[in-house]
Amino acid sequence: MRRICVALCLSLFASLIHAAVMPIELPTNQSHHQTTTIELEQLPNVKLTIIVGQYAQAWHLDKSSKENLTETVMAWKSYWPKAIPLPHPSPRNNIWLKKNPWFEEEVLPSLRKKVKAVLR
């Protein structure tokens, strides 16, 4: 049986969400309902890391993050295919999405294709 793990790292701020989607094998004595705290570096076979929001990007991308969220997301190809920085999916970001139509035209199709490949 193939298992998928979605690991989230949340902080006090809603925009600090770090997600990784990867196939995993759980030890036979561990239920998929159990919660385990692990560092992402400890997980084998990570296929994609989705870094959501500017605070998460500043934390996880460190020196490779750009001046602001828009510049970091525009440079998504420099982190691809292992990671992708995304804006926070908040209704408050609808203005950002309208100002940056390239995001839906260029980034989202690539992300959809990658997620589909990872889940196969």
Side-chain angles (χ1 to χ4, degrees):
M1 174 195 293
R2 186 157 181 229
R3 298 178 190 232
I4 303 297
C5 171
V6 177
L8 297 175
C9 173
L10 305 171
S11 83
L12 297 176
F13 301 99
S15 61
L16 287 178
I17 300 171
H18 178 86
V21 178
M22 79 269 341
I24 61 164
E25 290 298 323
L26 291 175
T28 54
N29 63 346
Q30 187 173 1
S31 161
H32 68 282
H33 295 290
Q34 290 176 312
T35 303
T36 307
T37 302
I38 8 182
E39 296 294 323
L40 286 174
E41 293 77 27
Q42 295 174 306
L43 297 172
N45 202 23
V46 174
K47 301 290 185 184
L48 176 62
T49 302
I50 301 170
I51 309 169
V52 181
Q54 77 179 44
Y55 297 113
Q57 292 164 14
W59 174 264
H60 293 286
L61 299 175
D62 194 26
K63 293 181 180 14
S64 68
S65 68
K66 308 301 178 200
E67 180 112 0
N68 57 47
L69 177 123
T70 301
E71 289 181 17
T72 302
V73 176
M74 284 179 87
W76 69 276
K77 287 182 181 177
S78 65
Y79 309 106
W80 191 256
K82 286 298 225 176
I84 186 165
L86 299 177
H88 191 276
S90 163
R92 294 174 56 193
N93 282 339
N94 287 338
I95 294 169
W96 186 91
L97 292 169
K98 287 185 192 304
K99 288 182 180 178
N100 298 284
W102 55 266
F103 177 76
E104 288 187 57
E105 296 163 3
E106 182 182 340
V107 179
L108 290 184
S110 295
L111 178 59
R112 286 183 187 112
K113 186 176 178 182
K114 176 71 173 182
V115 169
K116 189 175 181 179
V118 167
L119 295 176
R120 279 192 197 143

